[in-house]
Amino acid sequence: MHTSPVSPATRRQRQHARRLGVLAAGASMVLAACSSGGSGDPADYPDGNITITVPFAAGGPTDTVTRLIAEPMSEELGQEIVVQNVEGAGGTLAAGEVAAAEPDGYNVLMHHIGMSTAPSLYPDLPFDPLEDFKTVGLVTNVPMTIVARSDFEPETLEELITYVEENVDTVTYANAGVGAASQLCGLLIETAIGVDMTEVPYDGTAPALTDLVGGQVDFMCDQTTNTTGQIESGDIKAYAVTTPERLENLPDVPTVAEAGLPDVEVGVWHGLYVPSETPDEVVSVLTDALAVALKDQGVIDQMADLGTAPVAEDEVTPEAQTALLEEQIELWKPIIEAAGVVGE
Ligand code: MLT
């Protein structure tokens, strides 16, 4: 953490933060906590702790993927990686804070598909995903499952659709807030069925899943990295996977297309980001470490157990991630606008 009088780099960061409009008292405390690393000279990078900020609750899918890669990345970089969770506003709070953080390579954001839906969901988003970040590389693309509390009446996706149509005023759908993948999946279901369900927002799908198991909410979409164990143990029931093919580790769960909702096919792609003024040579170091982590056999095996896999080698690049981000911003814009969802 910097304790010296305000450095030129810090001044630049604050100017940048003021432009983003997020340097409120609370945010500045988090920024200070994030400024953990090094001499500030890109040639020395990395020579201090690196913080990866997860924009959702601990124990959830984004957190799980981050912690899987943090250890091998840390070994490769020879520095400690601190994973911190900054929950709120469907992931946009954390993204705004990292966008405004010191652009020195010690402040990294893990985010998912929500980075591409946020600009359409939030009219006053305090950052621009393309302007205020540099991309580091893609990480993984996680399938989702449509799941319900174990004693929920519908037994199949077809029965669920009918149930939702007939009980739209009472059925409850859990998500991780406007901007979360679980919210996007719910929106696709609502659009496909033509209903408007009661959504119960959480800080992440880890706490949402706890309430689903406890029977406090009826159903949700969540990534296999969070649901596989609970589906296998029977704590929740699964109606469908959001992939074109069935998953090897959940062979009895039909695809959304098989089960009658082809428009709910969606994969939750994850990538790493740094503030836009981070030097390219620093970004390259992070990209190389990410590539090494994604080849780690332990990471590959653990991801396979959770129904996912590292992205292909040529996708672990800033270029591939930026291209996907641009494409996905355009893809989701008309769908979200048509649904009329607005985040706060
Ligand atoms: C989501 O719905 O976007 C994620 O599951 C959030 C999380 O990691 O908890």
Side-chain angles (χ1 to χ4, degrees), residues 46-83:
D47 62 349
N49 293 351
I50 295 166
T51 299
I52 303 185
T53 300
V54 171
F56 295 102
T62 320
D63 186 70
T64 297
V65 166
T66 307
R67 288 177 200 274
L68 275 179
I69 60 159
E71 198 180 317
M73 275 186 81
S74 159
E75 269 167 32
E76 180 63 17
L77 293 165
Q79 297 296 339
E80 194 179 332
I81 293 186
V82 179
V83 176

CSV table of all heavy atoms in Angstrom, one decimal, residues 46-83:
chain,number,residue,atom,x,y,z
A,46,PRO,N,6.5,-8.3,-11.9
A,46,PRO,CA,5.8,-7.9,-10.7
A,46,PRO,C,6.8,-7.9,-9.5
A,46,PRO,O,7.6,-8.9,-9.4
A,46,PRO,CB,4.8,-8.9,-10.5
A,46,PRO,CG,5.3,-10.2,-11.2
A,46,PRO,CD,6.3,-9.7,-12.2
A,47,ASP,N,6.7,-7.0,-8.6
A,47,ASP,CA,7.5,-7.0,-7.4
A,47,ASP,C,6.7,-6.7,-6.2
A,47,ASP,O,7.2,-6.1,-5.2
A,47,ASP,CB,8.8,-6.2,-7.5
A,47,ASP,CG,8.5,-4.7,-7.7
A,47,ASP,OD1,7.3,-4.4,-7.9
A,47,ASP,OD2,9.4,-3.9,-7.5
A,48,GLY,N,5.5,-7.2,-6.2
A,48,GLY,CA,4.6,-7.0,-5.0
A,48,GLY,C,3.4,-7.8,-5.2
A,48,GLY,O,3.1,-8.4,-6.2
A,49,ASN,N,2.5,-7.8,-4.1
A,49,ASN,CA,1.2,-8.6,-4.2
A,49,ASN,C,0.3,-8.1,-5.3
A,49,ASN,O,0.2,-6.9,-5.5
A,49,ASN,CB,0.5,-8.4,-2.9
A,49,ASN,CG,1.2,-9.1,-1.8
A,49,ASN,OD1,2.2,-9.8,-2.0
A,49,ASN,ND2,0.7,-8.9,-0.6
A,50,ILE,N,-0.3,-9.0,-6.0
A,50,ILE,CA,-1.3,-8.6,-7.0
A,50,ILE,C,-2.7,-8.9,-6.5
A,50,ILE,O,-2.9,-10.0,-5.9
A,50,ILE,CB,-1.0,-9.4,-8.3
A,50,ILE,CG1,0.3,-9.0,-8.9
A,50,ILE,CG2,-2.2,-9.2,-9.3
A,50,ILE,CD1,0.9,-10.0,-9.9
A,51,THR,N,-3.6,-8.0,-6.6
A,51,THR,CA,-5.0,-8.2,-6.2
A,51,THR,C,-5.9,-8.5,-7.4
A,51,THR,O,-5.9,-7.8,-8.3
A,51,THR,CB,-5.6,-7.0,-5.4
A,51,THR,OG1,-4.7,-6.7,-4.3
A,51,THR,CG2,-7.0,-7.2,-5.0
A,52,ILE,N,-6.6,-9.7,-7.3
A,52,ILE,CA,-7.6,-9.9,-8.3
A,52,ILE,C,-9.0,-9.7,-7.6
A,52,ILE,O,-9.3,-10.4,-6.6
A,52,ILE,CB,-7.6,-11.3,-8.9
A,52,ILE,CG1,-6.2,-11.6,-9.5
A,52,ILE,CG2,-8.7,-11.5,-10.0
A,52,ILE,CD1,-6.1,-13.0,-10.3
A,53,THR,N,-9.8,-8.8,-8.2
A,53,THR,CA,-11.1,-8.5,-7.6
A,53,THR,C,-12.1,-9.3,-8.3
A,53,THR,O,-12.2,-9.4,-9.5
A,53,THR,CB,-11.4,-7.0,-7.7
A,53,THR,OG1,-10.4,-6.2,-7.0
A,53,THR,CG2,-12.8,-6.7,-7.2
A,54,VAL,N,-12.9,-10.0,-7.5
A,54,VAL,CA,-14.1,-10.8,-8.0
A,54,VAL,C,-15.3,-10.0,-7.7
A,54,VAL,O,-15.6,-9.6,-6.5
A,54,VAL,CB,-14.1,-12.1,-7.2
A,54,VAL,CG1,-15.4,-12.9,-7.5
A,54,VAL,CG2,-12.9,-13.0,-7.5
A,55,PRO,N,-16.2,-9.7,-8.7
A,55,PRO,CA,-17.3,-8.8,-8.5
A,55,PRO,C,-18.5,-9.5,-7.9
A,55,PRO,O,-19.6,-8.9,-7.9
A,55,PRO,CB,-17.6,-8.3,-9.9
A,55,PRO,CG,-17.1,-9.4,-10.8
A,55,PRO,CD,-16.0,-10.1,-10.1
A,56,PHE,N,-18.4,-10.7,-7.3
A,56,PHE,CA,-19.5,-11.4,-6.7
A,56,PHE,C,-19.1,-12.1,-5.4
A,56,PHE,O,-17.9,-12.1,-5.1
A,56,PHE,CB,-20.1,-12.4,-7.7
A,56,PHE,CG,-20.7,-11.8,-8.9
A,56,PHE,CD1,-20.0,-11.9,-10.1
A,56,PHE,CD2,-21.9,-11.2,-8.9
A,56,PHE,CE1,-20.5,-11.3,-11.3
A,56,PHE,CE2,-22.5,-10.7,-10.1
A,56,PHE,CZ,-21.8,-10.7,-11.3
A,57,ALA,N,-20.0,-12.7,-4.7
A,57,ALA,CA,-19.7,-13.2,-3.4
A,57,ALA,C,-18.7,-14.4,-3.5
A,57,ALA,O,-18.6,-15.1,-4.5
A,57,ALA,CB,-21.0,-13.7,-2.8
A,58,ALA,N,-18.0,-14.6,-2.4
A,58,ALA,CA,-17.1,-15.7,-2.2
A,58,ALA,C,-17.8,-17.0,-2.3
A,58,ALA,O,-19.0,-17.1,-1.9
A,58,ALA,CB,-16.4,-15.6,-0.9
A,59,GLY,N,-17.2,-18.0,-2.9
A,59,GLY,CA,-17.7,-19.3,-3.0
A,59,GLY,C,-18.6,-19.6,-4.2
A,59,GLY,O,-19.1,-20.7,-4.5
A,60,GLY,N,-18.8,-18.5,-5.0
A,60,GLY,CA,-19.7,-18.6,-6.2
A,60,GLY,C,-18.8,-19.0,-7.4
A,60,GLY,O,-17.6,-19.1,-7.3
A,61,PRO,N,-19.4,-19.0,-8.6
A,61,PRO,CA,-18.7,-19.4,-9.8
A,61,PRO,C,-17.5,-18.5,-10.2
A,61,PRO,O,-16.5,-19.0,-10.6
A,61,PRO,CB,-19.8,-19.3,-10.9
A,61,PRO,CG,-21.1,-19.3,-10.2
A,61,PRO,CD,-20.9,-18.7,-8.8
A,62,THR,N,-17.7,-17.2,-10.1
A,62,THR,CA,-16.6,-16.3,-10.5
A,62,THR,C,-15.5,-16.4,-9.6
A,62,THR,O,-14.3,-16.5,-9.9
A,62,THR,CB,-17.1,-14.8,-10.6
A,62,THR,OG1,-18.4,-14.8,-11.1
A,62,THR,CG2,-16.2,-14.0,-11.4
A,63,ASP,N,-15.8,-16.5,-8.3
A,63,ASP,CA,-14.8,-16.7,-7.2
A,63,ASP,C,-14.1,-18.1,-7.4
A,63,ASP,O,-12.8,-18.1,-7.3
A,63,ASP,CB,-15.5,-16.7,-5.9
A,63,ASP,CG,-14.6,-16.7,-4.7
A,63,ASP,OD1,-13.9,-15.7,-4.5
A,63,ASP,OD2,-14.6,-17.7,-4.0
A,64,THR,N,-14.8,-19.1,-7.7
A,64,THR,CA,-14.2,-20.4,-7.9
A,64,THR,C,-13.2,-20.4,-9.0
A,64,THR,O,-12.0,-20.9,-8.9
A,64,THR,CB,-15.3,-21.5,-8.2
A,64,THR,OG1,-16.2,-21.5,-7.1
A,64,THR,CG2,-14.7,-22.8,-8.4
A,65,VAL,N,-13.6,-19.9,-10.2
A,65,VAL,CA,-12.7,-19.8,-11.3
A,65,VAL,C,-11.4,-19.0,-11.0
A,65,VAL,O,-10.3,-19.4,-11.3
A,65,VAL,CB,-13.4,-19.2,-12.6
A,65,VAL,CG1,-12.5,-18.9,-13.7
A,65,VAL,CG2,-14.5,-20.2,-13.1
A,66,THR,N,-11.6,-17.9,-10.3
A,66,THR,CA,-10.5,-17.0,-9.9
A,66,THR,C,-9.5,-17.7,-9.0
A,66,THR,O,-8.3,-17.7,-9.3
A,66,THR,CB,-11.0,-15.7,-9.2
A,66,THR,OG1,-12.0,-15.1,-10.1
A,66,THR,CG2,-9.9,-14.7,-9.0
A,67,ARG,N,-10.1,-18.4,-8.0
A,67,ARG,CA,-9.2,-19.1,-7.1
A,67,ARG,C,-8.5,-20.3,-7.7
A,67,ARG,O,-7.3,-20.6,-7.3
A,67,ARG,CB,-9.9,-19.5,-5.8
A,67,ARG,CG,-10.3,-18.3,-5.0
A,67,ARG,CD,-11.1,-18.6,-3.7
A,67,ARG,NE,-11.8,-17.3,-3.3
A,67,ARG,CZ,-11.2,-16.4,-2.5
A,67,ARG,NH1,-10.0,-16.6,-2.0
A,67,ARG,NH2,-11.9,-15.3,-2.1
A,68,LEU,N,-9.1,-20.9,-8.7
A,68,LEU,CA,-8.4,-22.0,-9.4
A,68,LEU,C,-7.2,-21.5,-10.1
A,68,LEU,O,-6.2,-22.2,-10.1
A,68,LEU,CB,-9.4,-22.6,-10.5
A,68,LEU,CG,-10.4,-23.7,-10.0
A,68,LEU,CD1,-11.3,-24.1,-11.1
A,68,LEU,CD2,-9.6,-24.9,-9.4
A,69,ILE,N,-7.3,-20.4,-10.8
A,69,ILE,CA,-6.1,-19.9,-11.6
A,69,ILE,C,-5.1,-19.1,-10.7
A,69,ILE,O,-4.0,-18.9,-11.1
A,69,ILE,CB,-6.5,-19.1,-12.8
A,69,ILE,CG1,-7.3,-17.8,-12.4
A,69,ILE,CG2,-7.3,-19.9,-13.8
A,69,ILE,CD1,-7.3,-16.8,-13.5
A,70,ALA,N,-5.6,-18.6,-9.6
A,70,ALA,CA,-4.7,-17.7,-8.8
A,70,ALA,C,-3.4,-18.4,-8.3
A,70,ALA,O,-2.3,-17.7,-8.4
A,70,ALA,CB,-5.5,-17.1,-7.6
A,71,GLU,N,-3.5,-19.6,-7.9
A,71,GLU,CA,-2.3,-20.3,-7.4
A,71,GLU,C,-1.3,-20.5,-8.4
A,71,GLU,O,-0.1,-20.1,-8.3
A,71,GLU,CB,-2.7,-21.5,-6.7
A,71,GLU,CG,-1.6,-22.0,-5.7
A,71,GLU,CD,-2.0,-23.3,-5.0
A,71,GLU,OE1,-3.2,-23.4,-4.6
A,71,GLU,OE2,-1.1,-24.2,-5.0
A,72,PRO,N,-1.6,-21.1,-9.6
A,72,PRO,CA,-0.6,-21.3,-10.6
A,72,PRO,C,-0.1,-20.0,-11.2
A,72,PRO,O,1.1,-19.9,-11.6
A,72,PRO,CB,-1.2,-22.2,-11.6
A,72,PRO,CG,-2.7,-22.2,-11.4
A,72,PRO,CD,-2.9,-21.9,-9.9
A,73,MET,N,-1.0,-19.0,-11.3
A,73,MET,CA,-0.5,-17.7,-11.7
A,73,MET,C,0.5,-17.1,-10.7
A,73,MET,O,1.5,-16.5,-11.1
A,73,MET,CB,-1.7,-16.7,-11.9
A,73,MET,CG,-2.4,-16.8,-13.2
A,73,MET,SD,-3.6,-15.5,-13.5
A,73,MET,CE,-2.6,-14.1,-14.0
A,74,SER,N,0.2,-17.2,-9.5
A,74,SER,CA,1.1,-16.7,-8.4
A,74,SER,C,2.4,-17.4,-8.5
A,74,SER,O,3.5,-16.7,-8.4
A,74,SER,CB,0.4,-16.9,-7.1
A,74,SER,OG,1.3,-16.9,-6.0
A,75,GLU,N,2.4,-18.7,-8.7
A,75,GLU,CA,3.7,-19.5,-8.8
A,75,GLU,C,4.5,-18.9,-10.0
A,75,GLU,O,5.7,-18.7,-9.9
A,75,GLU,CB,3.4,-20.9,-9.0
A,75,GLU,CG,3.3,-21.7,-7.7
A,75,GLU,CD,2.8,-23.1,-7.8
A,75,GLU,OE1,3.0,-23.7,-8.9
A,75,GLU,OE2,2.1,-23.5,-6.9
A,76,GLU,N,3.8,-18.7,-11.1
A,76,GLU,CA,4.5,-18.3,-12.3
A,76,GLU,C,5.1,-16.9,-12.1
A,76,GLU,O,6.2,-16.6,-12.6
A,76,GLU,CB,3.5,-18.3,-13.5
A,76,GLU,CG,4.1,-17.9,-14.8
A,76,GLU,CD,5.2,-18.8,-15.3
A,76,GLU,OE1,5.4,-19.9,-14.8
A,76,GLU,OE2,5.9,-18.3,-16.2
A,77,LEU,N,4.3,-16.0,-11.4
A,77,LEU,CA,4.7,-14.6,-11.3
A,77,LEU,C,5.7,-14.4,-10.1
A,77,LEU,O,6.3,-13.4,-10.0
A,77,LEU,CB,3.5,-13.7,-11.1
A,77,LEU,CG,2.6,-13.6,-12.3
A,77,LEU,CD1,1.2,-13.0,-11.9
A,77,LEU,CD2,3.2,-12.8,-13.4
A,78,GLY,N,5.8,-15.4,-9.2
A,78,GLY,CA,6.6,-15.3,-8.1
A,78,GLY,C,6.1,-14.3,-7.1
A,78,GLY,O,6.9,-13.7,-6.3
A,79,GLN,N,4.9,-14.0,-7.1
A,79,GLN,CA,4.3,-13.0,-6.2
A,79,GLN,C,3.0,-13.6,-5.6
A,79,GLN,O,2.3,-14.3,-6.3
A,79,GLN,CB,4.0,-11.7,-6.9
A,79,GLN,CG,5.2,-11.0,-7.4
A,79,GLN,CD,6.2,-10.6,-6.3
A,79,GLN,OE1,5.8,-10.4,-5.1
A,79,GLN,NE2,7.5,-10.4,-6.7
A,80,GLU,N,2.6,-13.1,-4.5
A,80,GLU,CA,1.3,-13.5,-3.9
A,80,GLU,C,0.2,-12.9,-4.7
A,80,GLU,O,0.2,-11.7,-5.1
A,80,GLU,CB,1.2,-13.1,-2.4
A,80,GLU,CG,0.1,-13.7,-1.7
A,80,GLU,CD,0.0,-13.3,-0.2
A,80,GLU,OE1,1.1,-13.0,0.3
A,80,GLU,OE2,-1.1,-13.4,0.3
A,81,ILE,N,-0.9,-13.6,-4.9
A,81,ILE,CA,-2.1,-13.1,-5.5
A,81,ILE,C,-3.2,-13.1,-4.4
A,81,ILE,O,-3.5,-14.1,-3.9
A,81,ILE,CB,-2.6,-13.9,-6.8
A,81,ILE,CG1,-1.5,-13.7,-7.9
A,81,ILE,CG2,-4.0,-13.4,-7.2
A,81,ILE,CD1,-1.9,-14.2,-9.2
A,82,VAL,N,-3.7,-11.9,-4.2
A,82,VAL,CA,-4.8,-11.8,-3.2
A,82,VAL,C,-6.1,-11.7,-3.9
A,82,VAL,O,-6.3,-10.9,-4.8
A,82,VAL,CB,-4.6,-10.5,-2.4
A,82,VAL,CG1,-5.8,-10.3,-1.3
A,82,VAL,CG2,-3.3,-10.5,-1.7
A,83,VAL,N,-7.1,-12.6,-3.6
A,83,VAL,CA,-8.4,-12.6,-4.2
A,83,VAL,C,-9.3,-11.9,-3.3
A,83,VAL,O,-9.5,-12.3,-2.1
A,83,VAL,CB,-8.9,-14.0,-4.6
A,83,VAL,CG1,-10.3,-14.0,-5.1
A,83,VAL,CG2,-7.9,-14.7,-5.5
